[in-house]
Amino acid sequence: MNYQARLNRVIPGGAHTYSRGFDQFPANAPQILERGEGAYVWAPDGKKYLDYGMALRAVTLGYAHPLVNAAAIREIERGNNLTRASLTELQAAELLVDTIPGADMVKFAKNGSNATTAAAKIARAYTGRRYVCVPRQHPFFSFDDWFIGTTALQRGIPDAHAATTLVFDYNDIQSLRGLFDQHPGEIAAVMLEPATTVTPCAPDCTHLLSYDAPCRSCANTGKNFLHQVQDLCRKDGALLILDEMITGFRWHLQGAQTYFGVEPDMSTFGKGMANGFSVAAVAGKREIMEVGSIDKPGEERTFLLSTTHGGEMCGLGAFIETVRIYKEQDVCRHLWAYGEKLRDGMTQAARECGIADHFMMDGPAICLNYLTRDAEGKPSAKFRTLFSQEMIRHGVLMPWIAVSFAHGENELAMTLEAAKAAMKIYANALTDGIEQYLEGPEIKPVFRRYN
């Protein structure tokens, strides 16, 4: 059945986030999925795949975790969404504030974009300033115009909507300092991810990042880029906002901010905080977050987040249970440990197949990516598509690498076996030419101006 045609007929883009679009996967990928359990997903035809997409990194414990599901169902049976703030809403807020150092207050939302947009608004309201700075290397902060207008996708966005967003280069403090010099006293905040596959560590730092050796334990931690940004913001009166949609509840239970030893003014969270349930949050220091309060007589109001479903009890119950499991099972340690084994195994497989100069693992163990290069050594979307295609042929869906607590030794062995088979085809394609091996069009970047 042609699910792709059916999806495109009724949903613009064929899915509700562009990262799930058909142009993000090889031609032999399942067009639609029916269910997930643990580290696996199933297509309607019954085919089973070991998954490393993990719902765009939103699932950290594994699909359909029984304890998280049970917690969500209990909240559904209590009414799920009430007329006043719920007890569950209060408990979830207290839990997040108790978990994240420096977070005194929190607003929940259903989408990460709502949380980051709220953070930008809070910063502007608190400082009375105009500009928010973001790094060009970080691909996504919000679906709202203030950010999307800075990308190649500008159709439908008035120029003025993105005019207050300034772009700098991650790990280049001079590029950010230049913006402060160009706009003295006008920058409200700097918003950035703490780390991606690229970390904020100084180029000459030899500290090997691991769960048991976080950046904050390194003698050079004060020199890392995040600390430089924090110092610059504090000297100028701007706010530091760490977007922890991806790093939060992966690098460390208290966020990558704790891992790197920096305390932001505000943080945003989402993705894995509720194991796939729709929960996002903006949290920060009381003095700053209180611009959205209503218990300050005579103070001018700031309309932050006001969402009917922001306090939906099933998601917040899932968040509470997810954190309990994290603490009890030491989940972050497992994510790091599995990532280390996967990185080492994939690197060894590439070496054995003679393609170590063309296929390599990138990033720390908690945030892995695989890099693909063609016969000339140039980065290649075609070869990335080929590798993904061959992994799918052997039952592994790996559009990117998001490890979950459900990935164990059996999954590691299956992954490495599939990788070796895929890399043999990769090696042949380097010699014979990729066209006779690639079954469809190459994967395309989401942020491109034309289809």
Side-chain angles (χ1 to χ4, degrees):
M1 183 174 293
N2 191 340
Y3 287 106
Q4 184 172 303
R6 289 175 61 185
L7 286 166
N8 284 329
R9 185 175 65 84
V10 294
I11 303 172
H16 284 88
T17 178
Y18 286 107
S19 294
R20 288 190 173 102
F22 68 89
D23 58 352
Q24 301 302 295
F25 295 85
N28 69 335
Q31 294 183 0
I32 200 167
L33 295 173
E34 187 172 47
R35 67 184 184 93
E37 183 178 339
Y40 297 88
V41 291
W42 283 261
D45 61 6
K47 288 184 179 179
K48 177 182 177 182
Y49 301 89
L50 172 59
D51 186 28
Y52 281 93
M54 299 311 293
L56 282 68
R57 298 184 173 87
V59 174
T60 48
L61 298 179
Y63 292 111
H65 192 287
L67 296 179
V68 177
N69 284 359
I73 291 169
R74 284 196 299 272
E75 299 299 333
I76 291 171
E77 292 174 343
R78 290 172 178 158
N80 200 41
N81 208 338
L82 309 178
T83 302
R84 299 291 307 269
S86 69
L87 179 60
T88 303
E89 189 174 340
L90 172 61
Q91 292 169 339
E94 290 176 335
L95 175 61
L96 189 137
V97 166
D98 289 344
T99 300
I100 306 300
D104 300 317
M105 303 184 81
V106 59
K107 272 276 200 173
F108 290 115
K110 305 306 287 184
N111 298 290
S113 292
N114 298 136
T116 53
T117 293
K121 184 184 291 186
I122 293 169
R124 290 186 172 114
Y126 178 77
T127 63
R129 297 179 176 185
R130 173 180 175 85
Y131 295 105
V132 173
C133 305
V134 298
R136 73 180 79 249
Q137 289 81 5
H138 295 173
F140 189 77
F141 285 100
S142 175
F143 52 53
D144 290 310
D145 291 356
W146 69 270
F147 172 70
I148 294 298
T150 69
T151 75
L153 296 170
Q154 299 180 4
R155 185 181 182 190
I157 300 176
D159 293 341
H161 286 203
T164 56
T165 305
L166 307 175
V167 180
F168 65 96
D169 290 308
Y170 183 81
N171 268 349
D172 182 353
I173 195 64
Q174 295 305 325
S175 71
L176 180 58
R177 186 173 284 116
L179 295 180
F180 277 82
D181 291 341
Q182 293 169 33
H183 304 278
E186 293 186 291
I187 293 178
V190 177
M191 183 186 297
L192 72 164
E193 294 182 63
T196 55
T197 55
V198 179
T199 71
C201 302
D204 59 347
C205 184
T206 59
H207 181 76
L208 182 62
L209 298 179
S210 71
Y211 181 76
D212 291 311
C215 178
R216 70 176 187 274
S217 69
C218 175
N220 294 319
T221 187
K223 300 178 182 178
N224 78 34
F225 182 65
L226 296 181
H227 286 269
Q228 293 176 13
V229 175
Q230 180 178 259
D231 291 344
L232 182 58
C233 287
R234 287 178 176 173
K235 288 176 182 177
D236 187 79
L239 302 185
L240 172 60
I241 305 171
L242 291 186
D243 178 17
E244 296 231 42
M245 292 296 159
I246 293 176
T247 56
F249 301 92
R250 282 191 177 275
W251 288 73
H252 192 281
L253 178 59
Q254 295 179 331
Q257 56 193 265
T258 291
Y259 188 89
F260 289 106
V262 63
E263 188 173 296
D265 298 296
M266 282 187 285
S267 311
T268 56
F269 296 93
K271 297 289 186 183
M273 66 186 295
N275 198 46
F277 283 85
S278 181
V279 179
V282 54
K285 297 178 180 178
R286 183 175 308 281
E287 179 184 1
I288 297 167
M289 296 292 292
E290 279 187 333
V291 301
S293 297
I294 61 172
D295 59 348
K296 305 292 181 184
E299 185 171 302
E300 184 178 3
R301 297 181 64 184
T302 304
F303 199 83
L304 301 185
L305 282 168
S306 183
T307 57
T308 298
H309 301 291
E312 189 177 31
M313 294 157 63
C314 64
L316 296 177
F319 162 63
I320 292 169
E321 182 64 14
T322 297
V323 173
R324 187 194 69 78
I325 295 170
Y326 261 74
K327 293 177 179 178
E328 185 179 280
Q329 302 292 328
D330 204 2
V331 170
C332 290
R333 181 182 296 278
H334 172 85
L335 301 181
W336 276 93
Y338 187 94
E340 289 173 0
K341 294 176 184 176
L342 180 63
R343 177 189 59 202
D344 293 347
M346 296 277 275
T347 300
Q348 179 62 27
R351 191 178 298 118
E352 291 175 359
C353 293
I355 61 169
D357 292 334
H358 303 274
F359 182 98
M360 54 208 72
M361 302 299 288
D362 185 39
I366 195 63
C367 188
L368 291 173
N369 182 34
Y370 56 90
L371 304 179
T372 54
R373 300 184 182 276
D374 62 19
E376 297 179 357
K378 297 177 181 178
S380 172
K382 283 188 176 181
F383 273 91
R384 185 178 182 89
T385 307
L386 176 66
F387 178 76
S388 181
Q389 168 190 292
E390 294 306 309
M391 291 293 281
I392 289 170
R393 193 182 310 283
H394 291 87
V396 179
L397 189 60
M398 190 183 270
W400 49 84
I401 299 175
V403 173
S404 79
F405 193 60
H407 287 87
E409 293 302 318
N410 291 337
E411 286 70 32
L412 180 64
M414 178 180 176
T415 304
L416 297 181
E417 182 178 350
K420 290 175 183 177
M423 289 177 187
K424 290 178 181 177
I425 299 298
Y426 196 119
N428 291 340
L430 287 171
T431 301
D432 303 337
I434 193 170
E435 281 69 24
Q436 60 182 294
Y437 295 96
L438 191 60
E439 296 179 359
E442 66 185 81
I443 295 168
K444 298 178 181 179
V446 168
F447 290 99
R448 63 187 193 276
R449 189 170 182 182
Y450 297 102
N451 288 326

mmCIF file of all heavy atoms in Angstrom, residues 408-434:
data_model
loop_
_atom_site.group_PDB
_atom_site.id
_atom_site.type_symbol
_atom_site.label_atom_id
_atom_site.label_comp_id
_atom_site.label_asym_id
_atom_site.label_seq_id
_atom_site.Cartn_x
_atom_site.Cartn_y
_atom_site.Cartn_z
ATOM 1 N N GLY A 408 20.234 -2.689 24.550
ATOM 2 C CA GLY A 408 21.105 -3.515 25.380
ATOM 3 C C GLY A 408 22.090 -4.303 24.537
ATOM 4 O O GLY A 408 22.323 -4.004 23.360
ATOM 5 N N GLU A 409 22.642 -5.344 25.119
ATOM 6 C CA GLU A 409 23.685 -6.118 24.445
ATOM 7 C C GLU A 409 23.180 -6.794 23.177
ATOM 8 O O GLU A 409 23.901 -6.862 22.167
ATOM 9 C CB GLU A 409 24.273 -7.151 25.406
ATOM 10 C CG GLU A 409 25.055 -6.545 26.565
ATOM 11 C CD GLU A 409 26.217 -5.670 26.090
ATOM 12 O OE1 GLU A 409 26.906 -6.076 25.137
ATOM 13 O OE2 GLU A 409 26.418 -4.588 26.676
ATOM 14 N N ASN A 410 21.959 -7.308 23.190
ATOM 15 C CA ASN A 410 21.410 -7.940 21.979
ATOM 16 C C ASN A 410 21.263 -6.928 20.859
ATOM 17 O O ASN A 410 21.558 -7.224 19.686
ATOM 18 C CB ASN A 410 20.062 -8.594 22.286
ATOM 19 C CG ASN A 410 20.188 -9.812 23.176
ATOM 20 O OD1 ASN A 410 21.247 -10.436 23.248
ATOM 21 N ND2 ASN A 410 19.115 -10.169 23.863
ATOM 22 N N GLU A 411 20.803 -5.731 21.217
ATOM 23 C CA GLU A 411 20.625 -4.684 20.211
ATOM 24 C C GLU A 411 21.973 -4.217 19.675
ATOM 25 O O GLU A 411 22.116 -3.942 18.477
ATOM 26 C CB GLU A 411 19.859 -3.504 20.820
ATOM 27 C CG GLU A 411 18.372 -3.756 21.032
ATOM 28 C CD GLU A 411 18.082 -4.753 22.153
ATOM 29 O OE1 GLU A 411 18.867 -4.798 23.139
ATOM 30 O OE2 GLU A 411 17.085 -5.492 22.041
ATOM 31 N N LEU A 412 22.968 -4.169 20.544
ATOM 32 C CA LEU A 412 24.305 -3.774 20.096
ATOM 33 C C LEU A 412 24.860 -4.783 19.104
ATOM 34 O O LEU A 412 25.393 -4.411 18.045
ATOM 35 C CB LEU A 412 25.235 -3.653 21.302
ATOM 36 C CG LEU A 412 26.681 -3.248 20.996
ATOM 37 C CD1 LEU A 412 26.744 -1.859 20.394
ATOM 38 C CD2 LEU A 412 27.536 -3.321 22.260
ATOM 39 N N ALA A 413 24.711 -6.069 19.410
ATOM 40 C CA ALA A 413 25.215 -7.113 18.511
ATOM 41 C C ALA A 413 24.497 -7.057 17.167
ATOM 42 O O ALA A 413 25.132 -7.181 16.101
ATOM 43 C CB ALA A 413 25.029 -8.483 19.156
ATOM 44 N N MET A 414 23.179 -6.863 17.195
ATOM 45 C CA MET A 414 22.411 -6.783 15.952
ATOM 46 C C MET A 414 22.853 -5.568 15.124
ATOM 47 O O MET A 414 22.993 -5.651 13.894
ATOM 48 C CB MET A 414 20.913 -6.678 16.272
ATOM 49 C CG MET A 414 20.025 -6.552 15.056
ATOM 50 S SD MET A 414 18.270 -6.435 15.525
ATOM 51 C CE MET A 414 17.533 -6.175 13.910
ATOM 52 N N THR A 415 23.087 -4.459 15.791
ATOM 53 C CA THR A 415 23.504 -3.231 15.103
ATOM 54 C C THR A 415 24.852 -3.411 14.422
ATOM 55 O O THR A 415 25.032 -3.034 13.254
ATOM 56 C CB THR A 415 23.585 -2.067 16.102
ATOM 57 O OG1 THR A 415 22.322 -1.911 16.757
ATOM 58 C CG2 THR A 415 23.953 -0.770 15.392
ATOM 59 N N LEU A 416 25.799 -3.976 15.131
ATOM 60 C CA LEU A 416 27.139 -4.130 14.576
ATOM 61 C C LEU A 416 27.163 -5.136 13.436
ATOM 62 O O LEU A 416 27.899 -4.971 12.454
ATOM 63 C CB LEU A 416 28.122 -4.521 15.677
ATOM 64 C CG LEU A 416 28.304 -3.473 16.794
ATOM 65 C CD1 LEU A 416 29.316 -3.953 17.808
ATOM 66 C CD2 LEU A 416 28.720 -2.121 16.204
ATOM 67 N N GLU A 417 26.336 -6.179 13.542
ATOM 68 C CA GLU A 417 26.248 -7.147 12.435
ATOM 69 C C GLU A 417 25.680 -6.469 11.189
ATOM 70 O O GLU A 417 26.175 -6.662 10.071
ATOM 71 C CB GLU A 417 25.366 -8.319 12.853
ATOM 72 C CG GLU A 417 25.256 -9.400 11.800
ATOM 73 C CD GLU A 417 24.410 -10.582 12.254
ATOM 74 O OE1 GLU A 417 24.052 -10.653 13.452
ATOM 75 O OE2 GLU A 417 24.085 -11.435 11.397
ATOM 76 N N ALA A 418 24.619 -5.665 11.384
ATOM 77 C CA ALA A 418 24.032 -4.941 10.253
ATOM 78 C C ALA A 418 25.026 -3.934 9.686
ATOM 79 O O ALA A 418 25.125 -3.757 8.462
ATOM 80 C CB ALA A 418 22.747 -4.233 10.696
ATOM 81 N N ALA A 419 25.769 -3.276 10.561
ATOM 82 C CA ALA A 419 26.723 -2.260 10.113
ATOM 83 C C ALA A 419 27.822 -2.874 9.248
ATOM 84 O O ALA A 419 28.222 -2.300 8.230
ATOM 85 C CB ALA A 419 27.324 -1.543 11.318
ATOM 86 N N LYS A 420 28.304 -4.042 9.643
ATOM 87 C CA LYS A 420 29.347 -4.691 8.856
ATOM 88 C C LYS A 420 28.842 -5.034 7.453
ATOM 89 O O LYS A 420 29.556 -4.852 6.464
ATOM 90 C CB LYS A 420 29.839 -5.940 9.577
ATOM 91 C CG LYS A 420 30.643 -5.647 10.831
ATOM 92 C CD LYS A 420 31.009 -6.923 11.576
ATOM 93 C CE LYS A 420 31.745 -6.602 12.878
ATOM 94 N NZ LYS A 420 32.049 -7.826 13.662
ATOM 95 N N ALA A 421 27.611 -5.527 7.381
ATOM 96 C CA ALA A 421 27.028 -5.844 6.073
ATOM 97 C C ALA A 421 26.849 -4.577 5.239
ATOM 98 O O ALA A 421 27.133 -4.556 4.030
ATOM 99 C CB ALA A 421 25.695 -6.556 6.261
ATOM 100 N N ALA A 422 26.378 -3.494 5.889
ATOM 101 C CA ALA A 422 26.179 -2.231 5.179
ATOM 102 C C ALA A 422 27.502 -1.646 4.706
ATOM 103 O O ALA A 422 27.601 -1.103 3.596
ATOM 104 C CB ALA A 422 25.455 -1.244 6.089
ATOM 105 N N MET A 423 28.526 -1.802 5.512
ATOM 106 C CA MET A 423 29.831 -1.229 5.159
ATOM 107 C C MET A 423 30.508 -1.983 4.018
ATOM 108 O O MET A 423 31.298 -1.397 3.265
ATOM 109 C CB MET A 423 30.733 -1.192 6.392
ATOM 110 C CG MET A 423 30.298 -0.163 7.423
ATOM 111 S SD MET A 423 31.330 -0.204 8.904
ATOM 112 C CE MET A 423 30.446 0.944 9.962
ATOM 113 N N LYS A 424 30.203 -3.245 3.873
ATOM 114 C CA LYS A 424 30.732 -3.986 2.724
ATOM 115 C C LYS A 424 30.157 -3.436 1.424
ATOM 116 O O LYS A 424 30.871 -3.290 0.419
ATOM 117 C CB LYS A 424 30.416 -5.464 2.878
ATOM 118 C CG LYS A 424 31.202 -6.160 3.987
ATOM 119 C CD LYS A 424 30.802 -7.618 4.133
ATOM 120 C CE LYS A 424 31.576 -8.284 5.271
ATOM 121 N NZ LYS A 424 31.155 -9.693 5.482
ATOM 122 N N ILE A 425 28.869 -3.120 1.445
ATOM 123 C CA ILE A 425 28.251 -2.499 0.262
ATOM 124 C C ILE A 425 28.832 -1.107 0.055
ATOM 125 O O ILE A 425 29.095 -0.682 -1.082
ATOM 126 C CB ILE A 425 26.724 -2.423 0.441
ATOM 127 C CG1 ILE A 425 26.126 -3.833 0.588
ATOM 128 C CG2 ILE A 425 26.080 -1.687 -0.724
ATOM 129 C CD1 ILE A 425 26.340 -4.718 -0.623
ATOM 130 N N TYR A 426 29.029 -0.386 1.135
ATOM 131 C CA TYR A 426 29.634 0.941 1.080
ATOM 132 C C TYR A 426 31.006 0.866 0.394
ATOM 133 O O TYR A 426 31.329 1.672 -0.496
ATOM 134 C CB TYR A 426 29.781 1.462 2.513
ATOM 135 C CG TYR A 426 30.043 2.938 2.688
ATOM 136 C CD1 TYR A 426 29.152 3.731 3.392
ATOM 137 C CD2 TYR A 426 31.207 3.540 2.200
ATOM 138 C CE1 TYR A 426 29.392 5.091 3.597
ATOM 139 C CE2 TYR A 426 31.460 4.887 2.395
ATOM 140 C CZ TYR A 426 30.546 5.656 3.098
ATOM 141 O OH TYR A 426 30.792 6.999 3.301
ATOM 142 N N ALA A 427 31.809 -0.118 0.792
ATOM 143 C CA ALA A 427 33.137 -0.291 0.200
ATOM 144 C C ALA A 427 33.043 -0.579 -1.293
ATOM 145 O O ALA A 427 33.815 -0.038 -2.097
ATOM 146 C CB ALA A 427 33.876 -1.418 0.916
ATOM 147 N N ASN A 428 32.087 -1.414 -1.671
ATOM 148 C CA ASN A 428 31.895 -1.716 -3.097
ATOM 149 C C ASN A 428 31.502 -0.466 -3.873
ATOM 150 O O ASN A 428 31.961 -0.236 -4.992
ATOM 151 C CB ASN A 428 30.822 -2.788 -3.263
ATOM 152 C CG ASN A 428 31.261 -4.140 -2.746
ATOM 153 O OD1 ASN A 428 32.458 -4.400 -2.601
ATOM 154 N ND2 ASN A 428 30.313 -5.013 -2.455
ATOM 155 N N ALA A 429 30.635 0.350 -3.257
ATOM 156 C CA ALA A 429 30.161 1.561 -3.932
ATOM 157 C C ALA A 429 31.294 2.573 -4.111
ATOM 158 O O ALA A 429 31.307 3.331 -5.092
ATOM 159 C CB ALA A 429 29.018 2.187 -3.138
ATOM 160 N N LEU A 430 32.229 2.601 -3.187
ATOM 161 C CA LEU A 430 33.391 3.485 -3.342
ATOM 162 C C LEU A 430 34.211 3.099 -4.564
ATOM 163 O O LEU A 430 34.752 3.960 -5.260
ATOM 164 C CB LEU A 430 34.267 3.425 -2.082
ATOM 165 C CG LEU A 430 33.727 4.108 -0.831
ATOM 166 C CD1 LEU A 430 34.597 3.762 0.374
ATOM 167 C CD2 LEU A 430 33.660 5.622 -1.010
ATOM 168 N N THR A 431 34.273 1.799 -4.836
ATOM 169 C CA THR A 431 35.064 1.296 -5.964
ATOM 170 C C THR A 431 34.280 1.326 -7.269
ATOM 171 O O THR A 431 34.785 1.784 -8.314
ATOM 172 C CB THR A 431 35.519 -0.150 -5.679
ATOM 173 O OG1 THR A 431 36.287 -0.169 -4.480
ATOM 174 C CG2 THR A 431 36.359 -0.672 -6.830
ATOM 175 N N ASP A 432 33.033 0.864 -7.215
ATOM 176 C CA ASP A 432 32.250 0.674 -8.446
ATOM 177 C C ASP A 432 31.416 1.878 -8.845
ATOM 178 O O ASP A 432 30.902 1.944 -9.967
ATOM 179 C CB ASP A 432 31.304 -0.525 -8.269
ATOM 180 C CG ASP A 432 32.040 -1.803 -7.914
ATOM 181 O OD1 ASP A 432 33.248 -1.895 -8.229
ATOM 182 O OD2 ASP A 432 31.419 -2.691 -7.300
ATOM 183 N N GLY A 433 31.233 2.802 -7.903
ATOM 184 C CA GLY A 433 30.314 3.913 -8.145
ATOM 185 C C GLY A 433 29.015 3.679 -7.404
ATOM 186 O O GLY A 433 28.467 2.561 -7.422
ATOM 187 N N ILE A 434 28.470 4.711 -6.800
ATOM 188 C CA ILE A 434 27.330 4.535 -5.906
ATOM 189 C C ILE A 434 26.013 4.320 -6.646
ATOM 190 O O ILE A 434 25.074 3.722 -6.112
ATOM 191 C CB ILE A 434 27.213 5.749 -4.945
ATOM 192 C CG1 ILE A 434 26.228 5.438 -3.798
ATOM 193 C CG2 ILE A 434 26.819 7.006 -5.700
ATOM 194 C CD1 ILE A 434 26.227 6.465 -2.701
#
